[in-house]
Amino acid sequence: MDNVVAERIRQEVNENDVVLFMKGTPVFPQCGFSATAAQILTHLGVKFTGIDVLQDPSIRQGIKDFSNWPTIPQLYVKGEFVGGCDILREMFQTGELQQFFKDKGLEAQEQAS
């Protein structure tokens, strides 16, 4: 990964409290895993920035190198890598994700189903 790509990723992660590197956008996800991750964050009422890795192949590979994590989506909260879809789903189901956002000082208000 070149320095320009690493700096772009670092800037997104540092400038946004919650960033989801995903395939597609939060409104129009392009894979089921990205859709699930975005739905969990939306359900919790957490404001997040979605970065579409399909728009830039260097970001698509770069985020994997940056986190040393092989899959997309990837969630970052306050500069910290949290994990991918399976980790988010598990944390959400146990209530750990809601507590994590609270501990980070971020508003997470579950939406009524």
Side-chain angles (χ1 to χ4, degrees):
M1 170 175 49
D2 68 29
N3 289 338
V4 173
V5 172
E7 187 51 40
R8 280 179 59 201
I9 292 170
R10 194 172 291 108
Q11 185 175 2
E12 289 291 349
V13 167
N14 291 334
E15 289 181 0
N16 298 288
D17 284 343
V18 183
V19 182
L20 182 65
F21 289 88
M22 62 184 296
K23 293 178 181 175
T25 65
V27 174
F28 194 62
Q30 296 294 300
C31 85
F33 298 113
S34 291
T36 297
Q39 286 171 349
I40 288 170
L41 295 173
T42 300
H43 178 77
L44 292 177
V46 173
K47 291 182 182 170
F48 69 99
T49 299
I51 307 293
D52 183 0
V53 301
L54 298 177
Q55 296 297 313
D56 187 338
S58 63
I59 295 293
R60 185 177 185 172
Q61 182 56 48
I63 193 61
K64 295 175 186 180
D65 298 338
F66 186 83
S67 63
N68 199 27
W69 190 262
T71 59
I72 294 167
Q74 294 186 15
L75 179 68
Y76 286 80
V77 176
K78 298 251 179 160
E80 178 184 340
F81 175 61
V82 179
C85 180
D86 290 344
I87 290 170
L88 286 181
R89 184 184 303 125
E90 185 176 317
M91 288 176 73
F92 172 71
Q93 290 171 342
T94 65
E96 186 181 352
L97 188 61
Q98 295 85 323
Q99 186 62 47
F100 177 77
F101 282 121
K102 186 177 179 184
D103 292 347
K104 293 289 186 179
L106 297 168
E107 188 117 2
Q109 297 180 341
E110 278 191 63
Q111 305 298 308
S113 297

